[in-house]
Amino acid sequence: MNITVFGTGYVGLVTGACLAEVGNEVVCVDVDESRIAGLNAGEIPIYEPGLASLIERNREMNRLSFSVNAKHAVEHGLFQFVAVGTPQGEDGAADLSQVLQVADTIGRHMESYRIVVNKSTVPVGSADRVRSLIQQLLKEREVLCEFDVVSNPEFLKEGAAINDFMKPDRIVVGTENPRTTELLRQLYAPFNRNRDRLMVMDPRSAELTKYAANAMLATKISFMNEMANLADQVGADIEKVRQGIGSDSRIGYSFIYPGAGFGGSCFPKDLAALANTARASGCPSRILDAVKAVNHLQKQRLYSMINQHFAGDLKSRTIALWGLSFKPNTRDMRDAPSRMLMEALWEEGCQVQAYDPAAMPEARRIYGERSDLLLADTAEAALKDADALVIVTEWRVFQAPDFGRIKAELKQPLIFDGRNLFDPAALKARGFRYYAIGRGETALP
């Protein structure tokens, strides 16, 4: 099939590359000429395992191309995927300006039947707004042609997006048109072979499904963080609690790992947008507000532990920090716990020596050159003469370190673990002072 994807960000590139991989002819279009020029030169603007090779292979096979020619893009694809950003506004609402700009483009150039597929995360009712805008433009142009607008939200995890698209848990399709349903079933057939993953519903339900899914996952994380903080107070071990409740099939093990708080481009933004929708609908959600509040406090947890350990005497101390991205296998630092921690440490006059396997260029872009930030070449280099090691992101490379090397490089054997990577008893036996999240008594040498 011929497919057009508007937007060459995270969702657009993954969607375009994966659809091309199964044989479709895909054109990805963007208004950013420099971005398109870079993509045509083989430069991938995001970090996602496996994406660069996927794009390169399909470009070589002439199944995937990148363009700024919107008119050609509308002419090319039966399916017009909308995969542009919906950034958070000052009031928490999703900004639909880019989505509506794409709808305007489609409405001004469409000459024959098209299916507009909204992949962007949008508030309930957005499909209706897109449909109305396109209808209005077709009427002004005196063009008579049929089209449909579908909500088809993405459920891609950063760091595992290729696998999530190729082997989805579900494919949510929001349309009430049987013909459109059948065409989308054909489109997604290569990803829907061993069982039927297609879930067809009305567009508004599909739009709410995306927000509700992310809100539920964020709620699980914040709940476990509150339980971890309680465990610290009562002398329990949250790791044992996690295993105890995760064994209940009604709860499960996913997203019940306590830590330093969640970040990224989805959970914080989607929580705010859903809370805004709830308030605007006269049904404010106290649960969503509480999840946001708990997460904000949890992001301060590591700093509070460090400050308490040093009795407020942080000036001129050096802190080694492992992990800058909000999660492993991405370089995304949007709303990352590392940012709040570093900025709090700098306020107190600390020097930060940081290392991340992927996010170093992003840290340089955000913070530039500053005397109180050293971006180390290796995890070990970040340790040198530091007063403590703080683990903020659970990259696999951090999970079995050389503890002898850590002890030798630090001024004192002191670790603050924001992701509960290690066994407190084992660290105690090695002579470390070890602080974790919800592991009960601090491990003392």
Side-chain angles (χ1 to χ4, degrees):
M1 296 183 177
N2 288 349
I3 297 168
T4 293
V5 179
F6 282 90
T8 57
Y10 187 84
V11 174
L13 286 177
V14 171
T15 298
C18 290
L19 288 172
E21 177 71 4
V22 295
N24 298 296
E25 294 188 11
V26 180
V27 173
C28 291
V29 63
D30 204 298
V31 296
D32 188 335
E33 293 185 7
S34 63
R35 193 178 185 91
I36 293 299
L39 284 163
N40 282 323
E43 300 169 4
I44 310 304
I46 63 173
Y47 176 84
E48 176 64 33
L51 181 60
S53 60
L54 197 65
I55 289 174
E56 180 182 4
R57 179 166 62 251
N58 283 283
R59 285 185 67 232
E60 291 175 351
M61 298 293 292
N62 295 318
R63 293 194 297 246
L64 178 63
S65 61
F66 301 99
S67 175
V68 294
N69 189 333
K71 183 176 185 297
H72 166 69
V74 175
E75 292 171 350
H76 171 79
L78 167 62
F79 294 96
Q80 303 277 309
F81 278 83
V82 182
V84 294
T86 53
Q88 181 178 328
E90 291 184 4
D91 60 354
D95 180 353
L96 288 181
S97 59
Q98 295 181 54
V99 171
L100 296 177
Q101 182 58 52
V102 172
D104 182 273
T105 298
I106 294 171
R108 291 185 186 280
H109 296 297
M110 187 168 65
E111 298 288 348
S112 58
Y113 178 61
R114 292 292 180 266
I115 299 173
V116 180
V117 184
N118 198 354
K119 274 283 182 193
S120 298
T121 301
V122 294
V124 177
S126 296
D128 293 337
R129 291 185 63 182
V130 169
R131 182 181 291 106
S132 295
L133 177 56
I134 294 175
Q135 284 175 336
Q136 175 188 333
L137 290 166
L138 290 175
K139 183 178 180 180
E140 291 174 1
R141 293 171 57 214
E142 298 183 347
V143 172
L144 293 176
C145 65
E146 190 179 353
F147 72 97
D148 199 3
V149 178
V150 178
S151 174
N152 176 217
E154 53 84 14
F155 298 97
L156 306 176
K157 299 186 294 292
E158 289 192 42
I162 305 298
N163 187 68
D164 286 345
F165 198 102
M166 294 293 192
K167 299 177 181 179
D169 294 325
R170 74 284 210 198
I171 303 167
V172 173
V173 171
T175 180
E176 295 174 306
N177 185 328
R179 179 176 68 164
T180 303
T181 299
E182 183 54 34
L183 287 168
L184 280 159
R185 189 177 293 280
Q186 293 175 29
L187 176 67
Y188 280 116
F191 315 100
N192 195 35
R193 293 187 58 130
N194 68 347
R195 63 179 175 84
D196 189 6
R197 296 176 172 88
L198 207 73
M199 298 181 179
V200 182
M201 57 188 73
D202 62 277
R204 287 179 175 247
S205 295
E207 290 163 343
L208 184 55
T209 295
K210 168 63 177 180
Y211 278 117
N214 279 354
M216 174 61 77
L217 296 175
T219 299
K220 292 180 74 173
I221 294 170
S222 280
F223 175 80
M224 283 304 292
N225 282 333
E226 283 214 322
M227 291 300 100
N229 295 338
L230 177 60
D232 273 333
Q233 294 300 313
V234 300
D237 184 345
I238 195 62
E239 177 62 15
K240 293 181 172 61
V241 175
R242 181 189 68 81
Q243 294 175 21
I245 67 174
S247 61
D248 187 329
S249 61
R250 296 169 299 176
I251 298 172
Y253 291 103
S254 297
F255 285 84
I256 59 169
Y257 288 87
F262 59 77
S265 62
C266 292
F267 285 6
K269 176 177 72 73
D270 292 355
L271 271 176
L274 185 56
N276 180 272
T277 296
R279 285 192 297 272
S281 302
C283 185
S285 171
R286 286 174 286 184
I287 289 179
L288 295 180
D289 292 338
V291 170
K292 291 191 295 179
V294 168
N295 190 56
H296 181 74
L297 289 173
Q298 196 67 19
K299 287 183 177 180
Q300 303 172 41
R301 184 88 173 100
L302 279 172
Y303 169 77
S304 297
M305 293 163 65
I306 297 166
N307 190 52
Q308 183 176 4
H309 172 84
F310 288 109
D313 181 20
L314 292 176
K315 187 174 178 59
S316 300
R317 294 196 182 274
T318 299
I319 304 298
L321 192 151
W322 282 2
L324 293 168
S325 58
F326 84 95
K327 62 179 285 188
N329 298 318
T330 181
R331 67 183 181 198
D332 194 344
M333 290 180 61
R334 284 174 286 186
D335 275 313
S338 64
R339 296 180 64 174
M340 182 176 286
L341 173 60
M342 288 193 296
E343 289 161 16
L345 292 171
W346 289 330
E347 282 287 319
E348 296 299 323
C350 289
Q351 168 85 13
V352 174
Q353 299 177 172
Y355 173 76
D356 187 283
M360 306 292 265
E362 183 67 2
R364 289 190 184 93
R365 184 191 69 81
I366 294 170
Y367 294 113
E369 297 294 329
R370 50 186 299 160
S371 60
D372 50 8
L373 173 62
L374 170 67
L375 295 174
D377 293 331
T378 65
E380 292 75 20
L383 299 169
K384 189 165 183 60
D385 295 327
D387 291 283
L389 166 63
V390 184
I391 300 171
V392 188
T393 312
E394 65 276 30
W395 283 91
R396 191 174 295 276
V397 70
F398 301 149
Q399 295 182 22
D402 182 342
F403 288 106
R405 178 76 178 273
I406 294 173
K407 198 171 185 180
E409 296 288 357
L410 294 176
K411 290 180 180 177
Q412 54 188 312
L414 175 61
I415 297 176
F416 296 89
D417 184 356
R419 298 299 173 183
N420 290 355
L421 298 186
F422 310 130
D423 177 13
L427 268 289
K428 179 179 179 180
R430 291 177 179 270
F432 281 87
R433 185 154 192 176
Y434 177 70
Y435 294 89
I437 307 292
R439 301 304 304 269
E441 292 289 331
T442 300
L444 303 176

Coordinates of all heavy atoms in Angstrom, one line a residue, residues 25 44 84 106 111-112 120 122 144 168 178-179 202 244 339 346 362:
E25 N 5.0 1.2 0.5 CA 5.8 2.3 0.0 C 5.4 3.5 0.9 O 4.3 4.0 0.8 CB 5.5 2.6 -1.5 CG 6.1 1.4 -2.3 CD 6.0 1.7 -3.8 OE1 5.8 2.9 -4.2 OE2 6.2 0.8 -4.6
I44 N 20.0 10.0 11.6 CA 18.8 9.7 12.3 C 18.7 10.6 13.6 O 19.6 10.6 14.4 CB 18.8 8.2 12.8 CG1 19.1 7.3 11.6 CG2 17.4 7.9 13.4 CD1 18.2 7.5 10.4
V84 N 2.5 13.9 14.5 CA 3.2 15.2 14.9 C 3.0 15.4 16.4 O 2.2 14.7 17.1 CB 2.7 16.4 14.1 CG1 3.0 16.2 12.7 CG2 1.2 16.5 14.3
I106 N -3.9 18.5 4.4 CA -4.6 17.4 3.7 C -5.8 17.9 3.0 O -6.1 17.6 1.9 CB -5.0 16.2 4.7 CG1 -3.7 15.6 5.2 CG2 -5.9 15.2 4.0 CD1 -3.9 14.6 6.4
E111 N -7.6 15.2 -3.3 CA -8.4 15.1 -4.6 C -9.2 13.8 -4.7 O -10.1 13.7 -5.5 CB -7.5 15.2 -5.8 CG -6.7 16.6 -5.9 CD -7.6 17.8 -6.2 OE1 -8.8 17.5 -6.6 OE2 -7.2 18.9 -6.1
S112 N -8.9 12.8 -3.9 CA -9.6 11.5 -3.9 C -9.6 10.9 -2.5 O -9.0 11.4 -1.6 CB -8.9 10.6 -4.9 OG -7.5 10.4 -4.6
S120 N -0.9 10.6 16.6 CA -0.6 11.5 17.7 C -1.5 11.3 18.9 O -2.7 11.0 18.8 CB -0.7 13.0 17.2 OG 0.2 13.3 16.1
V122 N -3.8 12.6 21.3 CA -4.7 13.8 21.3 C -5.9 13.6 22.2 O -6.3 12.5 22.6 CB -5.2 14.0 19.9 CG1 -4.1 14.4 18.9 CG2 -6.0 12.8 19.4
L144 N -15.5 17.4 -4.2 CA -16.3 16.3 -3.6 C -15.5 15.0 -3.6 O -15.2 14.4 -4.7 CB -17.6 16.1 -4.5 CG -18.6 17.3 -4.5 CD1 -19.8 16.9 -5.4 CD2 -19.1 17.5 -3.0
P168 N 2.8 -6.1 18.4 CA 2.0 -5.3 19.4 C 1.1 -6.1 20.3 O 0.7 -7.2 20.0 CB 1.1 -4.5 18.4 CG 0.9 -5.3 17.2 CD 2.2 -6.0 17.0
P178 N -17.3 0.5 8.5 CA -16.9 -0.8 8.2 C -15.9 -1.0 7.1 O -14.9 -1.8 7.2 CB -18.2 -1.6 7.8 CG -19.3 -0.8 8.5 CD -18.8 0.7 8.4
R179 N -16.0 -0.1 6.1 CA -15.0 -0.2 5.0 C -13.6 0.2 5.5 O -12.6 -0.4 5.1 CB -15.4 0.7 3.8 CG -14.4 0.6 2.6 CD -14.8 1.4 1.4 NE -14.8 2.9 1.7 CZ -14.9 3.8 0.7 NH1 -14.9 3.4 -0.6 NH2 -14.9 5.0 1.0
D202 N -15.2 3.2 18.7 CA -15.5 4.5 18.2 C -14.3 5.4 18.4 O -13.4 5.1 19.3 CB -16.7 5.1 18.8 CG -16.5 5.3 20.3 OD1 -16.7 4.3 21.1 OD2 -16.2 6.4 20.8
G244 N 5.8 -9.9 46.5 CA 4.6 -10.5 47.2 C 3.3 -10.0 46.5 O 2.4 -10.8 46.3
R339 N 17.6 15.5 35.9 CA 17.7 16.9 35.8 C 17.3 17.6 37.1 O 18.0 18.6 37.5 CB 16.7 17.4 34.6 CG 17.2 16.8 33.3 CD 16.2 17.2 32.1 NE 16.3 18.7 31.9 CZ 15.7 19.3 30.9 NH1 15.0 18.6 30.1 NH2 15.7 20.6 30.8
W346 N 23.5 21.6 42.1 CA 24.2 22.8 41.7 C 23.8 24.0 42.6 O 24.6 24.8 42.9 CB 23.9 23.1 40.2 CG 24.5 22.1 39.3 CD1 25.7 21.5 39.5 CD2 24.1 21.7 38.0 NE1 26.0 20.7 38.4 CE2 25.0 20.8 37.5 CE3 23.0 22.0 37.2 CZ2 24.9 20.2 36.2 CZ3 22.8 21.4 36.0 CH2 23.7 20.5 35.5
E362 N 22.6 14.9 24.5 CA 21.4 15.6 24.9 C 21.7 16.5 26.1 O 21.2 17.6 26.2 CB 20.3 14.6 25.2 CG 19.0 15.2 25.6 CD 18.3 16.0 24.5 OE1 18.9 16.0 23.4 OE2 17.3 16.6 24.7

